[in-house]
């Protein structure tokens, strides 16, 4: 109703039967936009809002040489591809936490996006939905580490810590992108701390540093766990390592 009020007769609606795959839905929407004769598509989730920051978007897209343009989040910590030249030169992959795979990507200046806050109940529903989707996907793709990482994240957010550790460990075991494997160890170590096993947390941090030795947060978390275990001399040693890595 909101879209129709704004777009009037320009509104086109295309139905896509939900199959538990966000990438498939996004790819369908981009093909539908191309079929409608569009030159560019903008992808916005229902819980997202775009602030154009005063930018003349038509002019910026006309001047762009790239095929896909990132938009930064309000807090500036990350960005997502939100504007796509049509016909699209790439595709989304992944049933949830989907990622765009394509060439010639840039960033649209000034524009920002933010997510509408969710209630605690809505977050639980989201995490449960993602965990179900990713459990099925990892069973079908047992050698792809990325989705084990996100499965671990969903399970951790649901408080299913033992299952989350298993997923994170699988991500690290598969030997994909080393930084991803190391951060999987960090997340697993946080789960061990919450379960009260400081020694397991320290071992997991050490494993993460063996995968990617440049992550200061792993040494810091090991220091935190050692302090919690009353091993203050080791806590100091780990903390010093974290400081050194932070300056490297």
């Amino acid at each position: 109703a909101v879209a129709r009020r704004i777009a009037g007769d320009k509104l086109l609606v295309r139905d896509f039967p939900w199959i538990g795959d966000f990438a498939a839905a996004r790819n369908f929407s981009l093909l539908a936009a191309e079929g409608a004769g569009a030159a560019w598509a903008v992808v916005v989730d229902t819980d997202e809002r775009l602030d154009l920051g005063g930018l003349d978007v038509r002019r910026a897209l006309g001047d762009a040489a790239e095929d896909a343009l990132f938009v930064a989040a309000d807090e500036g910590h990350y960005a997502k591809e939100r504007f796509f030249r049509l016909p699209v030169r790439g595709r989304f992959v992944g049933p949830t936490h989907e990622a765009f795979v394509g060439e010639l990507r840039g960033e649209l200046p000034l524009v920002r996006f933010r997510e509408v806050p969710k209630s605690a109940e809505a977050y639980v529903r989201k995490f449960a939905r993602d965990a179900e989707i990713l459990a099925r996907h990892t069973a079908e793709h047992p050698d792809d580490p990325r989705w084990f990482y996100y499965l671990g994240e969903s399970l951790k957010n649901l408080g299913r810590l033992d299952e989350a550790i298993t997923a994170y460990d699988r991500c690290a075991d598969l030997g994909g992108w080393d930084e991803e494997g190391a951060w999987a160890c960090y997340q697993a170590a946080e789960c061990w701390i919450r379960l009260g096993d400081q020694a397991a947390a320290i071992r997991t941090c050490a494993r993460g540093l063996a995968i990617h030795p440049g992550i200061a947060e792993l040494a810091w978390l090991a220091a935190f766990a050692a302090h919690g275990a009353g091993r203050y001399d080791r806590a100091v040693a780990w903390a010093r390592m974290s400081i050194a890595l932070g300056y490297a």
Side-chain angles (χ1 to χ4, degrees), residues 32 54 73 75 110 139 141-142 146 148 175 197 213 231 237:
E75 64 272 22
L110 303 180
H141 303 83
R146 175 185 175 89
F148 283 99
D197 193 335
R231 301 299 302 270

Side-chain angles (χ1 to χ4, degrees), residues 84-152:
F84 300 88
R85 187 189 303 276
L86 299 176
V88 66
R89 297 171 179 84
R91 60 191 294 270
F92 280 95
V93 297
T96 182
H97 298 283
E98 62 281 1
F100 184 74
V101 178
E103 302 296 328
L104 291 177
R105 290 182 287 179
E107 184 169 343
L108 200 60
L110 303 180
V111 181
R112 296 290 183 270
F113 79 90
R114 62 179 175 84
E115 294 185 9
V116 177
K118 298 180 181 65
S119 66
E121 295 78 11
Y123 274 116
V124 169
R125 289 194 298 270
K126 168 182 164 56
F127 298 142
R129 177 204 66 198
D130 287 356
E132 180 181 354
I133 291 172
L134 289 165
R136 182 172 63 251
H137 188 75
T138 51
E140 296 169 354
H141 303 83
D143 298 323
D144 193 335
R146 175 185 175 89
W147 311 114
F148 283 99
Y149 182 93
Y150 286 119
L151 174 59

